[in-house]
């Protein structure tokens, strides 16, 4: 923050210069919105593949990935992480590309939190 100071003497000093304090403030910035990354259930992708995806792209332990895979299996969808827009978009693209390369129809999507 920058401030300019001048001296004050009865409103004006001897050189007829007005005196005051100028304070510059920075505008407040909002945090960027977050996005939920979700994996959707299908009847063809093996459960083991979903566990591998969760471990590889979302950094989950095997036990965490297995639990989340069961949630996807039972409920049809599960949030696997919450990220900034760019990171969420990258995760979705990585999962979709990986699934396609392994010929699985696994779907990964994102939506604003």
């Amino acid at each position: 923050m920058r401030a300019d100071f001048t001296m004050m003497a009865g409103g004006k000093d001897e050189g007829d210069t007005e005196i005051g304090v100028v304070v510059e403030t920075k505008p407040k910035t909002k945090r960027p919105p977050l996005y939920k990354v979700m994996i959707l259930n299908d009847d063809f992708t093996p459960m083991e593949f979903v566990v591998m995806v969760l471990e590889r792209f979302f950094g989950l332990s095997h036990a965490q990935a297995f639990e989340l895979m069961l949630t996807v299996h039972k409920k049809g969808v599960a949030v696997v992480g919450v990220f900034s827009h760019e990171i969420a978009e990258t995760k979705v693209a990585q999962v979709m590309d990986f699934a396609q390369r392994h010929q699985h129809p696994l779907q990964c999507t994102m939506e604003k939190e």
Side-chain angles (χ1 to χ4, degrees):
M1 181 181 337
R2 185 177 146 238
D4 294 317
F5 297 97
T6 53
M7 298 195 52
M8 188 164 198
K12 296 188 184 226
D13 67 7
E14 292 177 12
D16 268 358
T17 306
E18 288 195 25
I19 309 300
V21 176
V22 175
V23 178
E24 293 179 19
T25 58
K26 292 184 178 181
K28 291 184 180 180
T29 55
K30 283 199 296 188
R31 287 186 166 210
L34 296 176
Y35 291 79
K36 299 184 286 189
V37 174
M38 298 168 294
I39 293 210
L40 288 78
N41 188 44
D42 64 68
D43 294 332
F44 305 101
T45 304
M47 291 179 176
E48 297 80 21
F49 184 80
V50 176
V51 170
M52 181 176 52
V53 164
L54 293 170
E55 291 171 347
R56 182 175 186 153
F57 297 105
F58 298 96
L60 301 179
S61 69
H62 185 75
Q64 292 170 321
F66 188 82
E67 284 295 318
L68 204 47
M69 175 276 299
L70 287 178
T71 301
V72 172
H73 181 69
K74 292 175 184 174
K75 296 189 175 184
V77 66
V79 174
V80 296
V82 179
F83 308 97
S84 68
H85 185 269
E86 293 78 14
I87 293 173
E89 206 170 47
T90 299
K91 298 269 186 199
V92 169
Q94 288 174 329
V95 170
M96 295 295 289
D97 180 59
F98 190 70
Q100 192 172 30
R101 282 188 286 129
H102 288 84
Q103 300 177 351
H104 294 301
L106 183 66
Q107 294 294 302
C108 185
T109 62
M110 62 186 263
E111 69 180 39
K112 202 170 188 176
E113 188 174 48

